[in-house]
Amino acid sequence: MQRKNERFVERLPLVPDRPVYAYIVTLIFCAAAFALREAAAPLLPNGYPFVTFFPAVILSSFLFGVRPGIFAALLCGFVSWYFFIPPFGQVVLNPAVAVAMVFYTAVVTTDIVLIHFMQRANFNLAVERERNRALAENRELLFHELQHRVSNNLQVVAAMLALQRRHVDHEVARRALDDASSRLALVGRISRALYDSSGAGQDIAAFLTTLTTDIMEASGRQDVSVNVAAPEGLRLDPNITVPLALVVAESVSNAIEHGLPDCAGRIHVSLEIGEGGRLSLQIADDGKGIAPDFQIGNEQSLGLRIANALAAQLGGSFALAPGPRKGAVARLDLPPGATA
């Protein structure tokens, strides 16, 4: 309803290209004001000649603009003077009549001027709103075009790596190129899913659920289940969520490859908000676990080095430790201020 009212007000004054209609309706307003004043004459004391004519002037100015408003003011003023100011039925100018007409002129002039400036301000506001809408649409279009180009560029790089892989005979190098290609594809998917033109974050619980589902489908493992626990409605800044999602992807892939290489199992991803707004991310599996003397700083795994680098980028810390019963737990702790 409010939006309909705004659209109606933005169209004022009405029928500017057909002024004849405006003057005809203005005449109807004046005639209605005269009839109402005539009907109310027995109920009104002397001294109220303009009481029903002010609304006619205001309505004419509001709906049709300044000129019909002036026309209504002149016509209503003359009718009031002739029919409702003594001596009735005559146009006589004396001090009392002059004071009454000055009062009437001042009031209707004020009404017309205020309505005119209000409509000009409303027109300018409507123009500005339309300009902002066009800018927003252009921004949305440019943003999607940028996202499309970034995605294409990542695909081109991934394709180049795949071509290069064909000319590499060393198995370790081939695996490294495969890993790099898959990570580029993952970054592209994460960016496309997270970023929008408004800059707002996405619901992290839904996003992590979709992300882990994609990772499991890509792994082809049917005997490993993943569940996600995160606060409902929690939104993170995209600059935080992209590195966090990469850590989740690396940790889940690591749990599948090393923790559960040849057996069924479960992976649990949980995100919690601690005291002071600190975020704690845990990826736990029930696989074969890690060696007791494991030191993450000495580990040569590229995935773990990437996770450590991403944690440092966010000002947090990453750790991989044995689980409380079995398996392993990857933990990422982030400082306050990550929520959107």
Side-chain angles (χ1 to χ4, degrees):
M1 180 63 70
Q2 182 179 359
R3 182 59 183 162
K4 290 182 179 180
N5 292 337
E6 289 178 357
R7 290 176 179 174
F8 173 74
V9 173
E10 289 173 2
R11 291 199 303 267
L12 298 176
L14 302 177
V15 293
D17 54 337
R18 297 180 179 179
V20 174
Y21 294 156
Y23 287 104
I24 290 175
V25 177
T26 298
L27 280 173
I28 294 174
F29 287 160
C30 294
F34 174 77
L36 184 60
R37 178 63 181 82
E38 186 70 28
L43 305 176
L44 295 175
N46 293 332
Y48 293 88
F50 314 113
V51 66
T52 62
F53 294 99
F54 287 133
V57 177
I58 293 172
L59 277 175
S60 300
S61 302
F62 180 75
L63 294 177
F64 307 117
V66 173
R67 294 182 179 179
I70 294 174
F71 172 73
L74 293 174
L75 180 59
C76 291
F78 177 79
V79 172
S80 301
W81 187 354
Y82 186 82
F83 290 99
F84 302 108
I85 297 179
F88 303 116
Q90 301 181 40
V91 179
V92 177
L93 184 63
N94 54 46
V97 173
V99 170
M101 295 308 298
V102 168
F103 168 77
Y104 170 80
T105 301
V107 172
V108 294
T109 300
T110 302
D111 292 338
I112 294 172
V113 169
L114 288 177
I115 292 173
H116 172 69
F117 280 112
M118 181 199 71
Q119 290 182 342
R120 293 302 304 173
N122 187 71
F123 174 78
N124 293 333
L125 181 62
V127 171
E128 190 65 26
R129 187 184 296 115
E130 181 63 23
R131 184 182 295 115
N132 290 338
R133 186 192 62 79
L135 289 174
E137 289 181 353
N138 289 336
R139 184 183 67 174
E140 185 82 12
L141 179 63
L142 291 174
F143 177 81
H144 286 300
E145 179 65 20
L146 176 62
Q147 286 291 85
H148 180 68
R149 290 183 181 273
V150 169
S151 177
N152 285 347
N153 290 339
L154 289 173
Q155 290 176 359
V156 169
V157 174
M160 292 173 63
L161 290 175
L163 289 174
Q164 185 65 34
R165 180 184 182 280
R166 299 177 182 178
H167 302 285
V168 175
D169 296 329
H170 198 281
E171 186 61 29
V172 175
R174 290 167 67 92
R175 270 202 314 270
L177 290 174
D178 286 340
D179 289 343
S181 179
S182 63
R183 287 187 174 97
L184 279 174
L186 177 62
V187 171
R189 290 198 304 271
I190 292 173
S191 299
R192 183 183 295 273
L194 281 177
Y195 284 104
D196 58 55
S197 57
S198 67
Q202 189 182 92
D203 183 272
I204 194 63
F207 172 72
L208 289 180
T209 300
T210 302
L211 175 64
T212 53
T213 301
D214 290 344
I215 295 172
M216 292 308 302
E217 290 179 354
S219 71
R221 294 289 298 273
Q222 303 292 329
D223 56 345
V224 177
S225 61
V226 180
N227 67 298
V228 175
E232 291 294 333
L234 175 64
R235 295 180 180 273
L236 304 181
D237 186 280
N239 295 325
I240 299 292
T241 312
V242 171
L244 183 143
L246 290 173
V247 171
V248 171
E250 293 291 347
S251 300
V252 171
S253 298
N254 185 69
I256 295 172
E257 182 179 356
H258 301 289
L260 301 162
D262 51 10
C263 61
R266 293 179 298 176
I267 300 174
H268 180 68
V269 180
S270 63
L271 182 65
E272 299 176 350
I273 303 178
E275 184 178 355
R278 298 182 64 88
L279 290 178
S280 177
L281 171 71
Q282 292 189 32
I283 301 94
D285 66 77
D286 59 357
K288 64 181 183 179
I290 58 178
D293 58 345
F294 173 83
Q295 296 291 331
I296 194 171
N298 300 326
E299 180 63 33
Q300 297 300 314
S301 169
L302 177 60
L304 292 178
R305 293 204 303 271
I306 290 175
N308 269 314
L310 293 170
Q313 174 186 329
L314 298 175
S317 62
F318 178 80
L320 181 62
R325 296 183 180 178
K326 62 177 182 176
V329 177
R331 182 184 180 95
L332 174 66
D333 291 310
L334 299 181
T339 54

